[in-house]
Amino acid sequence: MPPPVFRFAPSPNGYLHLGHAYSALLNFDLARRTGGRFLLRIEDIDATRCRPEFEAAIYEDLAWLGISWETPVRRQSEHFARYRKAVERLADLGLIYPSFESRAEIARLVAQRDASAPWPRDPDGAPLYPGAAKSLPPDQRRQLIAQGTPYALRLDMAAARARTNQLTWIEHGEGPGGETGAVHAQPEAWGDVILARKETPTSYHLSVVIDDALQGVTDVVRGRDLFWSTSVHLLLQQLLGIPQPVYRHHRLIEDASGHKLSKSTQATALRELRGQGAAPADICSLVGLSGDFCNTTGGC
Ligand code: GLU
């Protein structure tokens, strides 16, 4: 049996905080305890928000915590051609269409729909795509693209579902409602998700499943906030014919008022705590792990 492969996949759009430390330590420790491999992946597809100094800080903070990883590190921004190929493959299956509404237009359409009855929201609380771009005639689409109109490439969820079987994943952790074991994916809850944009040929959902497969990741260990995104990931894995890892979604580290930590909150940034004299063992205890990383059972 090849060894299990774990990964920690932060986006360099801010400094790592205690929640990231918890996730990275769990992954690293699981790899160590199972004789597995630990990979670090930089998810930097968003050129407007990701910055080299945040990436440098990721390496520094993780090394300070005592975590080591295989090199070279995969940086998603270096693999756009690979993601573009996957979008083309889905387009060849007739599963992709461009939509041209701006964010403001979408908000206006949703407000109109909401006026008659509450318009459906995805598991993150964002309204499902309300537009009619799916039925635009091909020549109109071509014309809008030729004119340079910004667009998003969306997955036709109904067509994608019609091509796929029942989707179930094995959850070793726990979802927000206590889901564990075999979980039925519900990708339709996300509507026609965006898989790429004019200026960025990929999206979080697409690049994460492609990279997990390319890197041979067997165990995805990440925060519970991404639990229902797994539904979309399973759908894409089946459409693209790539292997499905097992998943372990872990508890989120919250601030004193019970909110999920954010990269914009200085107080819980690892470099801030380090600057105040905290040691790696203090970080472990702040996130509820014993000093010897997570040398504890049932931590997540
Ligand atoms: N890049 C994502 C984040 O920083 C994590 C992706 C994942 O673990 O699937 O939230």
Side-chain angles (χ1 to χ4, degrees):
M1 268 278 275
V5 182
F6 296 83
R7 79 342 183 238
F8 175 59
S11 294
N13 54 12
Y15 292 118
L16 297 187
H17 54 55
L18 287 173
H20 297 107
Y22 180 61
S23 201
L25 287 165
L26 270 186
N27 272 286
F28 183 63
D29 191 64
L30 280 163
R32 220 172 36 168
R33 280 195 281 160
T34 56
R37 297 169 53 203
F38 174 76
L39 311 178
L40 172 62
R41 184 167 73 225
I42 300 294
E43 302 212 324
D44 58 348
I45 59 172
D46 185 348
T48 58
R49 297 176 62 219
C50 293
R51 302 220 302 257
E53 60 267 36
F54 293 138
E55 184 177 333
I58 289 173
Y59 302 134
E60 209 179 287
D61 289 345
L62 293 180
W64 174 72
L65 280 174
I67 291 176
S68 54
W69 54 91
E70 292 184 13
T71 52
V73 167
R74 186 174 174 89
R75 300 172 73 240
Q76 292 189 323
S77 59
E78 292 167 356
H79 301 279
F80 282 164
R82 181 66 193 74
Y83 308 132
R84 203 175 272 124
K85 246 170 63 186
V87 173
E88 279 163 14
R89 186 152 164 215
L90 295 171
D92 289 345
L93 296 173
L95 301 179
I96 299 283
Y97 68 90
S99 67
F100 299 91
E101 297 91 347
S102 64
R103 283 182 218 278
E105 275 169 286
I106 289 188
R108 193 177 45 78
L109 287 172
V110 170
Q112 268 171 15
R113 307 281 160 95
D114 268 337
S116 36
W119 184 250
R121 260 63 181 175
D122 70 23
D124 283 348
L128 301 196
Y129 172 63
K134 192 158 101 172
S135 48
L136 271 185
D139 56 335
Q140 213 168 321
R141 285 178 183 165
R142 276 194 293 273
Q143 198 186 350
L144 284 162
I145 291 174
Q147 284 167 359
T149 315
Y151 59 85
L153 295 177
R154 292 181 181 274
L155 182 69
D156 180 340
M157 185 57 77
R161 274 319 254 145
R163 289 190 76 95
T164 43
N165 306 321
Q166 197 184 61
L167 300 164
T168 304
W169 83 85
I170 304 302
E171 176 60 45
H172 286 200
E174 209 176 77
E179 301 84 351
T180 192
V183 180
H184 290 302
Q186 296 160 37
E188 41 290 308
W190 294 91
D192 290 356
V193 284
I194 293 177
L195 292 188
R197 292 181 189 275
K198 183 185 175 201
E199 68 284 6
T200 311
T202 188
S203 59
Y204 159 63
H205 293 310
L206 188 69
S207 33
V208 86
V209 297
I210 289 178
D211 285 357
D212 283 341
L214 280 176
Q215 297 190 287
V217 171
T218 57
D219 293 65
V220 171
V221 179
R222 61 185 176 196
R224 200 167 284 161
D225 51 336
L226 292 169
F227 184 82
W228 286 115
S229 293
T230 310
S231 290
V232 178
H233 301 171
L234 257 72
L235 179 69
L236 292 173
Q237 284 153 1
Q238 200 173 104
L239 291 170
L240 294 167
I242 55 183
Q244 183 184 318
V246 298
Y247 290 87
R248 179 187 296 264
H249 291 92
H250 59 70
R251 66 181 167 86
L252 300 177
I253 306 296
E254 295 171 338
D255 64 17
S257 46
H259 294 112
K260 189 189 143 191
L261 299 182
S262 133
K263 281 190 176 134
S264 52
T265 319
Q266 285 294 308
T268 52
L270 296 181
R271 57 183 30 232
E272 186 76 17
L273 294 163
R274 184 165 86 221
Q276 290 165 14
D282 299 320
I283 303 298
C284 291
S285 84
L286 280 169
V287 299
L289 297 171
S290 82
D292 183 22
F293 297 109
C294 50
N295 191 14
T296 158
T297 48
C300 52

